[in-house]
Amino acid sequence: MRWTYLGLVAYHQALRLQETLRAAILSGASAPMLLLLQHPPEITLGRSARRENILAGPAELRARGVEVVPIGRGGDVTFHGPGQLVGYPVRPVGRLVRQHVASMIGVLLDELRA
């Protein structure tokens, strides 16, 4: 799998890139890729997110420059920010998303233990 480091990228911009790359991979125009990047201060709200899980109020978030971004993916409330390395593997997994995520967690844990 190829990889690239993109630096600081807003969540929506990274999501658009993932969607474009996914289409290229599915068409055979690109190989699977791991995108490594950081996000500016953002809180994403997944499909199962509950706003009451954001402990800071809107005024405090604005003062700290934190954007709240509703997304169509799973999950609850997730903070992303500078200094936090984020990896987005873009590869075909079909209907085995949960199995793929569990496998990746296992690989990461093995590497951290090494």
Side-chain angles (χ1 to χ4, degrees):
M1 177 180 286
R2 297 180 350 210
W3 65 274
T4 187
Y5 177 71
L6 300 173
L8 192 67
V9 180
Y11 186 87
H12 278 302
Q13 182 181 356
L15 182 58
R16 280 192 304 275
L17 177 57
Q18 290 171 68
E19 291 166 349
T20 300
L21 185 55
R22 177 182 180 273
I25 292 167
L26 291 176
S27 75
S30 178
M33 179 164 281
L34 174 62
L35 304 176
L36 298 171
L37 53 97
Q38 299 176 55
H39 290 298
E42 297 174 302
I43 293 175
T44 55
L45 303 175
R47 287 189 311 259
S48 60
R50 296 168 27 148
R51 282 198 176 259
E52 60 267 21
N53 290 340
I54 300 175
L55 302 179
E60 183 177 349
L61 292 173
R62 272 192 306 278
R64 293 177 181 237
V66 179
E67 182 179 355
V68 177
V69 182
I71 60 171
R73 292 182 170 183
D76 192 0
V77 174
T78 305
F79 175 78
H80 306 278
Q84 177 190 42
L85 181 64
V86 179
Y88 294 112
V90 184
R91 60 179 289 247
V93 295
R95 300 187 64 80
L96 303 174
V97 174
R98 290 180 192 264
Q99 182 179 350
H100 171 69
V101 171
S103 174
M104 291 200 49
I105 291 170
V107 168
L108 290 171
L109 289 173
D110 289 346
E111 288 300 315
L112 290 171
R113 286 185 194 111

